[in-house]
């Protein structure tokens, strides 16, 4: 199909969308709107005005939250909170470390451009299972197996994060430039050498960025796992919420926010050095 050139200075007509494209947009956005309307009742959105009517309870809760004990008033409490937060970070660190070593072979085996089809499908289903089981469920299973304590949290984070990272790692491998791989192959190298010298150097910075991001997320997830007895500051948080000690809850929240913020700044600095 040839197009007739427009005279100089003529403004071309804007591109027109086909009726099929408009119909698809209407179907997608209309479907999203329909889902929101259907889910309005099941998620109790009609009770949203209670947020503004039960102000007495909110005021009482907020008054204690805004008056945490100061470090100079109760240094022993703050030392304990910092120690438990450090334990939570160690849980996240070890969980992420184990997850990376599980995710590397899984990610390579699930990449369609370097792994055979008979291997990709079952590996991806294993990754789906690891991602779909919540951390709390995995943590409960490991508490039964190894008992209460940080190890259960480490193992729960490791398996769940391995499923997430393996998916991200495989997608990074599938988007590589095949030129370096073909160059390595041209030297007569084997399949393993192609992966080591042609694939890994391209995806290593991106893999590192994914791992750092998951470490940030796991620092928060490890806090939640403390609620079921997997160690860390989450256990203290749960105990103080149950005892309605909201002033200490506020102090715990401050420690968590500061720790997560420091981890975020550290990971950003590391990503800038790598990417």
């Amino acid at each position: 199909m040839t197009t007739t050139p427009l005279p100089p200075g003529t403004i071309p007509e804007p591109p027109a969308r086909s009726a099929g494209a408009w119909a698809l947009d209407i179907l997608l956005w209309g479907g999203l709107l329909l889902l929101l309307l259907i889910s309005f009742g099941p998620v109790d959105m009609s009770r949203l005005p209670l947020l503004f009517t039960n102000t007495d309870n909110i005021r009482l809760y907020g008054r204690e939250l805004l008056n945490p004990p100061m470090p100079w008033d109760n240094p022993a409490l703050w030392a304990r909170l910092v120690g438990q937060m450090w334990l939570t970070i160690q849980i996240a660190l070890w969980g992420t470390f184990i997850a990376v070593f599980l995710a590397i072979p899984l990610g390579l085996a699930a990449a369609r451009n370097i792994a055979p089809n008979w291997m990709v499908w079952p590996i991806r289903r294993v990754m789906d299972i690891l991602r779909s089981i919540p951390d709390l469920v995995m943590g409960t299973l490991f508490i039964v197996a190894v008992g209460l304590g940080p190890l259960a949290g480490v193992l729960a984070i490791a398996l769940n994060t391995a499923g997430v990272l393996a998916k991200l790692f495989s997608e990074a491998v599938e988007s590589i430039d095949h030129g370096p791989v073909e160059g390595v192959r041209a030297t007569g190298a084997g399949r393993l050498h192609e992966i080591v010298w042609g694939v890994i150097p391209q995806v290593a910075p991106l893999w590192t960025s994914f791992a750092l991001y998951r470490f940030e997320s796991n620092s928060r997830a490890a806090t939640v796992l403390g609620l079921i007895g997997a160690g860390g500051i989450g256990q203290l948080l749960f105990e103080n919420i149950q005892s309605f000690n909201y002033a200490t809850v506020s102090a715990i929240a401050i420690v968590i926010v500061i720790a997560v913020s420091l981890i975020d700044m550290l990971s950003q600095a590391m990503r800038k050095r790598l990417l």
Side-chain angles (χ1 to χ4, degrees):
M1 180 178 179
T2 59
T3 58
T4 303
L6 297 174
T10 303
I11 300 176
E13 293 292 332
R17 302 188 66 190
S18 64
W22 280 110
L24 181 60
D25 284 348
I26 293 173
L27 180 63
L28 290 175
W29 294 108
L32 176 60
L33 179 60
L34 181 61
L35 286 175
L36 288 173
L37 293 175
I38 292 174
S39 59
F40 186 89
V43 300
D44 287 339
M45 288 300 294
S46 59
R47 300 178 61 191
L48 188 61
L50 293 178
L51 183 63
F52 307 99
T53 56
N54 291 338
T55 56
D56 292 337
N57 294 335
I58 295 176
R59 192 181 301 112
L60 177 63
Y61 185 79
R63 186 184 303 118
E64 295 196 35
L65 280 179
L66 295 176
N67 289 279
M70 294 293 102
W72 49 85
D73 294 331
N74 196 342
L77 171 65
W78 282 86
R80 185 186 180 198
L81 296 183
V82 172
Q84 289 299 309
M85 189 67 229
W86 173 235
L87 176 59
T88 300
I89 293 173
Q90 293 176 87
I91 293 172
L93 182 63
W94 267 102
T96 307
F97 180 78
I98 296 173
V100 168
F101 278 90
L102 293 175
I104 289 175
L106 288 175
L108 292 172
R112 296 184 178 91
N113 56 337
I114 64 171
N117 291 330
W118 60 266
M119 182 185 295
V120 170
W121 192 89
I123 293 297
R124 284 185 173 267
R125 300 295 75 79
V126 171
M127 290 157 47
D128 292 342
I129 293 173
L130 294 177
R131 289 197 312 274
S132 61
I133 301 178
D135 292 343
L136 289 175
V137 176
M138 283 192 180
T140 303
L141 294 175
F142 284 120
I143 283 175
V144 174
V146 302
L148 296 171
L151 180 58
V154 169
L155 297 175
I157 287 175
L159 288 187
N160 184 270
T161 303
V164 175
L165 287 180
K167 177 179 173 60
L168 296 174
F169 286 5
S170 65
E171 291 176 351
V173 172
E174 290 176 349
S175 62
I176 62 171
D177 179 8
H178 289 277
V181 179
E182 294 172 358
V184 174
R185 186 182 302 133
T187 65
R191 189 70 169 174
L192 182 59
H193 292 89
E194 293 177 15
I195 294 174
V196 172
W197 300 108
V199 176
I200 300 297
Q202 295 189 63
V203 298
L206 198 56
W207 283 5
T208 305
S209 179
F210 290 149
L212 289 172
Y213 173 74
R214 284 303 303 181
F215 172 59
E216 296 174 30
S217 302
N218 289 339
S219 299
R220 295 183 290 271
T223 300
V224 178
L225 287 172
L227 302 180
I228 59 172
I233 201 169
Q235 192 165 344
L236 286 178
L237 178 64
F238 183 61
E239 292 172 356
N240 283 277
I241 289 176
Q242 281 191 317
S243 60
F244 303 102
N245 190 0
Y246 295 132
T248 304
V249 170
S250 179
I252 294 172
I254 292 172
V255 171
I256 293 173
V257 169
I258 293 174
V260 171
S261 299
L262 291 175
I263 292 171
D264 177 61
M265 289 188 290
L266 177 62
S267 62
Q268 284 184 8
M270 294 178 67
R271 279 196 293 264
K272 287 180 181 179
R273 298 281 297 178
L274 293 168
L275 296 180

